[in-house]
Amino acid sequence: MTKSKIVIGVAVVAVALGFAFKDTIQTQVYAFMHSSMHDRHGADGMGHDMQNMPGLRGANASQAETDELAVMFENFDTITREVINLPNGIRTVTRSSNEDVMAVLVSHVVGMVDRVARGDDPQVFIQSPTLDILFANGAEMKSEIEVTEEGIVVVRTSANPDVVAGLHIHAAEVSDMAERGMQAVHDAMMRRAGN
């Protein structure tokens, strides 16, 4: 059995066990996935098989959403972000120097804001646990999205201080991924796994 099939099997079992053990299982899956991904790295430790990477898939994500993630990770070096932490939320400006990647960014952001508003978690295997609070409290957020020459501008606010803290943390996580790509995800997974 190939390692990617084992990783997918472990992830499916983790999702099936539900939220009662979510944090513990997710941490173990992250650690296992990192171990599996490490075996596919090049000599410099940075190579990735993005087309077959199971972590970009989700228990409740469409193939189009998975493909969008792959495009963004493959082209992270074209993406830049500015984040302002507001007392009640965030203002982010995200852009890409590549028009095709920019179109994917817009589609992803609009789709995820809609999912959060509906509480429809895609359960992407590599997603941060920080998103749990956002998906659980989507009705408590106000979101404004505008595409300008500056990029895609998103303002998200909430009266719930826990949601505001989640917005601040998630904005920083996304900025780290835009800066460092999959290495940011690896580092976060390993921190959660205690390594």
Side-chain angles (χ1 to χ4, degrees):
M1 183 176 288
T2 66
K3 287 186 179 185
S4 62
K5 287 182 182 176
I6 292 170
V7 171
I8 291 169
V10 169
V12 168
V13 168
V15 170
L17 289 173
F19 290 102
F21 302 103
K22 183 177 180 186
D23 292 335
T24 302
I25 292 169
Q26 193 171 42
T27 299
Q28 291 171 351
V29 170
Y30 287 160
F32 185 82
M33 286 171 55
H34 181 271
S35 171
S36 175
M37 287 184 283
H38 183 359
D39 293 342
R40 290 198 303 263
H41 285 178
D44 64 355
M46 297 302 290
H48 295 282
D49 179 3
M50 294 299 294
Q51 296 302 318
N52 297 312
M53 187 171 182
L56 297 181
R57 298 184 185 109
N60 184 32
S62 70
Q63 184 61 52
E65 289 169 325
T66 299
D67 293 344
E68 286 177 349
L69 290 171
V71 167
M72 290 184 291
F73 276 113
E74 289 170 347
N75 297 281
F76 76 92
D77 57 344
T78 72
I79 299 171
T80 56
R81 277 172 58 84
E82 297 166 20
V83 177
I84 297 173
N85 285 340
L86 307 171
N88 63 339
I90 55 169
R91 180 184 188 271
T92 64
V93 181
T94 309
R95 72 189 66 77
S96 173
S97 57
N98 180 304
E99 288 182 17
D100 294 333
V101 176
M102 188 64 204
V104 168
L105 274 171
V106 170
S107 176
H108 175 75
V109 169
V110 170
M112 288 302 111
V113 167
D114 177 61
R115 273 185 174 271
V116 168
R118 293 182 287 116
D120 186 17
D121 186 345
Q123 300 172 33
V124 173
F125 300 131
I126 64 167
Q127 80 184 29
S128 165
T130 306
L131 289 173
D132 294 349
I133 190 170
L134 302 183
F135 281 108
N137 296 283
E140 295 188 44
M141 277 183 269
K142 180 181 177 189
S143 300
E144 299 171 19
I145 304 171
E146 184 179 7
V147 180
T148 69
E149 289 184 12
E150 190 180 15
I152 182 162
V153 181
V154 179
V155 177
R156 306 191 82 183
T157 57
S158 176
N160 181 331
D162 292 333
V163 173
V164 172
L167 287 168
H168 289 175
I169 292 167
H170 182 60
E173 291 170 338
V174 172
S175 293
D176 193 25
M177 288 185 283
E179 178 71 24
R180 301 190 303 128
M182 193 54 69
Q183 187 61 49
V185 176
H186 286 183
D187 291 349
M189 291 186 322
M190 294 310 291
R191 280 192 302 272
R192 287 192 288 272
N195 295 323

